Amino acid sequence: MSITFNEILDFIGTLAFAISGIRLASAKHFDLFGAYIVGLTTAIGGGTLRDMMLGVPIFWMQDPFYLICTALALLWVMIFGKYLIHQNNTWFIFDTIGLAMFTVTGIEKTLSSAGHYPFWAAIIMGTITGAAGGVFRDVFINEVPLIFRKEIYALACVIGGAAYHISILAGFGPVVAGIACGVVVIAMRVLAVRYRLHLPILKGEDDYKKQEED
Amino acid sequence: MSITFNEILDFIGTLAFAISGIRLASAKHFDLFGAYIVGLTTAIGGGTLRDMMLGVPIFWMQDPFYLICTALALLWVMIFGKYLIHQNNTWFIFDTIGLAMFTVTGIEKTLSSAGHYPFWAAIIMGTITGAAGGVFRDVFINEVPLIFRKEIYALACVIGGAAYHISILAGFGPVVAGIACGVVVIAMRVLAVRYRLHLPILKGEDDYKKQEED
Amino acid sequence: MSITFNEILDFIGTLAFAISGIRLASAKHFDLFGAYIVGLTTAIGGGTLRDMMLGVPIFWMQDPFYLICTALALLWVMIFGKYLIHQNNTWFIFDTIGLAMFTVTGIEKTLSSAGHYPFWAAIIMGTITGAAGGVFRDVFINEVPLIFRKEIYALACVIGGAAYHISILAGFGPVVAGIACGVVVIAMRVLAVRYRLHLPILKGEDDYKKQEED
């Protein structure tokens, strides 16, 4: 058995996504099983939705790898729960690597599927692969999905996807395009958090009213 | 390029659905990207679920029309946000046209699919096409779905679907049946809002207890 | 028309699941239509997700049985709403029978599907069939899903699924395996509720902080 570089990235990403789910579940006092489910859904939910939308067999149903990763993530939180907050930077990097990896996987799976989808559809599928698991996680813990409110998260996937497309248009192969996409996703996310970049917040209609009253 | 009447209705409906999502997202202070996603999901979520349930390719993945409509809706809210409240009647009518249009589309796509579904299943698929996007929207903004609590909304789709079926049974073709369905959906919704018609509210078990205490 | 034993169990389970959805919807003052939808989703949501994930036609779309069961459940709640609390034990048993029945159905449908899924995937599909409807219900009423926080519910499906697998490995046929699975699900759930067994709750990071402050 030889382990590829992609498999290592997949492992890191799955672990980080699962841990993010399990941490939020534990903040809401979920039991072990509930935390496991939330962790698993965070890790594999995006890819599952992608595969259901593409009409292809669901990626994890033939391979226990993702279930085992999530079990390791649960163990990690149970053992190191108290110290997780000091590991925040590490998990942020791992989570970002996962985001990049899942985006590339989603794009490539869409392009190689029988549907002959246009490139923008592949970018959407890449974004769903990277970001939808976190949306499911937030729905499960009954919070407004984080990615809708702050941080540049899903947008990093979209820009990364565009970088993939531009690389292909420029004549590069899928390996270079995948690396370009991953680097852009990671760079965007790291810069966004480092410099507290975020998208403009939409004004609600109540805000206009308050403004007039002032 | 010639634009059909159906395409105009589809445009109006998509725009209105997306705007309803973006308005609610902006009330919750979502960022631009989050608001776009909520608007898009409101507009295409019902049809997406329908296509996944029917096992057919998802309608918007070959056609950027819906993404562009949602971008226009976002622009509209950004520019006219302050005045949207004065446009409420217009958007109500457009939203209702969309509801009717999406219901008819859902019914016809189900009947013409390979599944040989019975008519009642087509009516359910029409209702999902019209109403499920709004449910996803409400889940995303972390509110109890509006259609479960007030207004006759999804029920209008069901009655409209029955009108479609009756028209077919009476020997009419799909064009007449589609018009009959659309007119019934619009009439039901307008009358329901105009005369504040709503379905009976179920009593909770707490209410019975309170009653006894009185 | 002859009614099989399986059909009776399916009827009991569907009725109990739908009633659990309708009761919770009525506590939130949903209207009749909303309560019906929540009841229906509780009853058929798990199987619908399973079929979408397996890529097979959705089980209820050719058979009005489940729609009719849910209508009966709605009638029951409307007529006996006041007395439902005194029927709690009965509905608990019926709900547990449904959980067992749906788990077995989910396992068998997965094993007999064209996907050649491994056994652990079939157990997950059985658990989804039994437990996902309740998760949808709780998302609709805007509560944190109950199964993540208390009671041994979905875990009973997993253990029951393992019992199914062990029975097959031991040389028994699917009938014996199905009965073994069902009995284990019911026994686990009844014992868990009777002796207030529950899984350990994960500590949140706030809890660690509080601990240190003490």
Side-chain angles (χ1 to χ4, degrees):
Chain A
M1 185 178 117
S2 77
I3 296 170
T4 66
F5 185 58
N6 273 10
E7 284 168 348
I8 294 173
L9 296 183
D10 208 22
F11 175 72
I12 288 175
T14 304
L15 209 61
F17 272 49
I19 282 186
S20 96
I22 294 167
R23 284 177 80 171
L24 289 170
S26 68
K28 295 253 172 172
H29 302 290
F30 282 32
D31 66 26
L32 280 186
F33 190 86
Y36 183 83
I37 299 294
V38 175
L40 187 64
T41 308
T42 310
I44 68 176
T48 304
L49 179 57
R50 174 202 65 214
D51 290 346
M52 288 168 73
M53 290 177 74
L54 295 178
V56 300
I58 289 169
F59 70 105
W60 54 265
M61 283 181 67
Q62 301 285 2
D63 184 353
F65 172 79
Y66 301 94
L67 299 187
I68 294 166
C69 276
T70 305
L72 293 176
L74 183 61
L75 262 177
W76 192 272
V77 175
M78 289 169 68
I79 297 172
F80 298 112
K82 199 173 168 175
Y83 310 102
L84 271 175
I85 207 156
H86 306 298
Q87 303 169 357
N88 268 351
N89 286 339
T90 309
W91 289 115
F92 169 75
I93 293 296
F94 283 12
D95 193 271
T96 303
I97 290 170
L99 188 67
M101 179 69 196
F102 294 171
T103 305
V104 174
T105 310
I107 290 172
E108 297 190 336
K109 192 156 185 185
T110 306
L111 291 177
S112 68
S113 84
H116 298 293
Y117 294 108
F119 214 97
W120 58 262
I123 295 179
I124 294 178
M125 289 295 115
T127 307
I128 286 177
T129 311
V135 174
F136 293 141
R137 174 198 66 204
D138 296 342
V139 168
F140 280 174
I141 62 168
N142 203 15
E143 298 281 352
V144 170
L146 198 65
I147 67 159
F148 296 155
R149 285 178 305 150
K150 61 175 216 175
E151 285 188 24
I152 285 167
Y153 193 87
L155 186 61
C157 304
V158 175
I159 313 275
Y164 193 108
H165 192 33
I166 291 166
S167 306
I168 297 289
L169 290 178
F172 292 106
V175 175
V176 173
I179 292 171
C181 171
V183 168
V184 168
V185 171
I186 292 172
M188 286 241 356
R189 177 117 204 263
V190 169
L191 291 175
V193 169
R194 177 76 188 75
Y195 295 103
R196 296 174 197 272
L197 305 177
H198 51 75
L199 289 169
I201 304 289
L202 267 184
K203 256 187 195 171
E205 281 148 48
D206 283 353
D207 303 315
Y208 290 113
K209 239 179 285 171
K210 270 182 225 142
Q211 225 173 19
E212 275 170 24
E213 286 164 9
D214 287 346
Chain B
M1 184 178 116
S2 77
I3 296 170
T4 65
F5 185 58
N6 272 10
E7 284 168 349
I8 294 174
L9 295 184
D10 207 21
F11 175 71
I12 288 175
T14 304
L15 209 60
F17 272 48
I19 283 185
S20 95
I22 294 167
R23 285 177 79 170
L24 289 170
S26 69
K28 296 253 172 171
H29 302 289
F30 282 31
D31 67 25
L32 279 187
F33 190 86
Y36 182 83
I37 299 295
V38 176
L40 188 64
T41 308
T42 311
I44 69 176
T48 303
L49 179 58
R50 174 202 64 214
D51 289 347
M52 288 168 72
M53 289 176 73
L54 294 178
V56 300
I58 289 170
F59 70 104
W60 54 264
M61 282 182 66
Q62 300 286 2
D63 184 354
F65 172 79
Y66 301 93
L67 299 186
I68 295 166
C69 276
T70 305
L72 293 176
L74 184 60
L75 262 177
W76 191 272
V77 174
M78 289 169 68
I79 297 173
F80 298 112
K82 199 173 167 174
Y83 309 103
L84 271 175
I85 208 156
H86 306 298
Q87 302 168 359
N88 268 351
N89 286 338
T90 309
W91 288 115
F92 169 74
I93 292 297
F94 283 13
D95 193 271
T96 303
I97 291 170
L99 187 68
M101 179 68 196
F102 294 170
T103 305
V104 174
T105 309
I107 290 172
E108 296 189 337
K109 193 156 184 184
T110 307
L111 292 177
S112 68
S113 84
H116 298 293
Y117 294 108
F119 215 97
W120 59 262
I123 295 178
I124 294 178
M125 288 295 115
T127 306
I128 285 177
T129 311
V135 174
F136 294 141
R137 175 198 65 204
D138 296 342
V139 168
F140 280 174
I141 62 168
N142 203 16
E143 299 280 354
V144 171
L146 198 66
I147 67 159
F148 295 155
R149 285 178 305 150
K150 60 175 215 175
E151 284 188 24
I152 285 167
Y153 193 88
L155 186 61
C157 304
V158 175
I159 313 275
Y164 193 107
H165 192 33
I166 291 166
S167 305
I168 297 290
L169 290 178
F172 292 107
V175 175
V176 172
I179 293 172
C181 172
V183 167
V184 168
V185 171
I186 293 173
M188 286 240 355
R189 177 117 204 264
V190 169
L191 291 175
V193 169
R194 176 76 188 75
Y195 295 104
R196 297 173 197 272
L197 306 177
H198 52 75
L199 289 169
I201 306 289
L202 267 184
K203 256 187 194 172
E205 280 148 48
D206 284 353
D207 304 316
Y208 290 113
K209 239 180 285 171
K210 269 182 225 142
Q211 226 172 19
E212 275 169 22
E213 286 163 11
D214 288 346
Chain C
M1 184 177 117
S2 77
I3 296 171
T4 65
F5 185 58
N6 273 10
E7 283 168 349
I8 294 173
L9 295 183
D10 208 22
F11 174 72
I12 287 175
T14 303
L15 209 61
F17 273 48
I19 282 184
S20 95
I22 294 167
R23 285 177 80 171
L24 288 170
S26 68
K28 296 253 173 172
H29 301 290
F30 282 31
D31 66 26
L32 279 187
F33 190 86
Y36 183 83
I37 299 294
V38 175
L40 187 64
T41 308
T42 310
I44 69 176
T48 303
L49 179 58
R50 174 202 64 214
D51 289 347
M52 288 168 73
M53 290 177 73
L54 294 178
V56 299
I58 289 169
F59 71 104
W60 54 265
M61 283 181 67
Q62 301 285 3
D63 184 353
F65 171 79
Y66 301 93
L67 299 186
I68 295 165
C69 276
T70 305
L72 293 177
L74 184 60
L75 262 177
W76 191 272
V77 175
M78 289 169 68
I79 297 172
F80 298 111
K82 200 174 167 173
Y83 309 102
L84 271 176
I85 208 157
H86 306 298
Q87 303 169 357
N88 268 351
N89 286 338
T90 309
W91 289 115
F92 168 74
I93 293 297
F94 283 13
D95 194 271
T96 303
I97 291 170
L99 188 67
M101 179 68 196
F102 294 171
T103 304
V104 174
T105 309
I107 291 172
E108 296 189 337
K109 193 157 184 184
T110 306
L111 291 177
S112 67
S113 84
H116 297 293
Y117 294 108
F119 214 99
W120 57 263
I123 294 179
I124 295 178
M125 289 294 115
T127 307
I128 286 177
T129 310
V135 174
F136 294 141
R137 173 198 66 203
D138 295 342
V139 168
F140 280 174
I141 62 168
N142 202 17
E143 299 280 354
V144 170
L146 198 65
I147 66 158
F148 295 155
R149 285 178 305 150
K150 59 175 217 176
E151 285 189 24
I152 285 167
Y153 194 86
L155 186 62
C157 304
V158 175
I159 313 274
Y164 192 107
H165 191 33
I166 291 166
S167 305
I168 297 289
L169 290 178
F172 293 107
V175 174
V176 172
I179 292 170
C181 172
V183 167
V184 168
V185 172
I186 292 172
M188 287 240 356
R189 177 117 204 264
V190 169
L191 290 175
V193 169
R194 177 73 188 77
Y195 294 104
R196 297 175 198 272
L197 305 177
H198 51 77
L199 289 169
I201 305 291
L202 267 183
K203 256 187 194 172
E205 281 148 49
D206 283 354
D207 303 316
Y208 289 113
K209 239 180 285 173
K210 269 183 227 142
Q211 224 171 19
E212 277 169 24
E213 286 164 9
D214 288 346

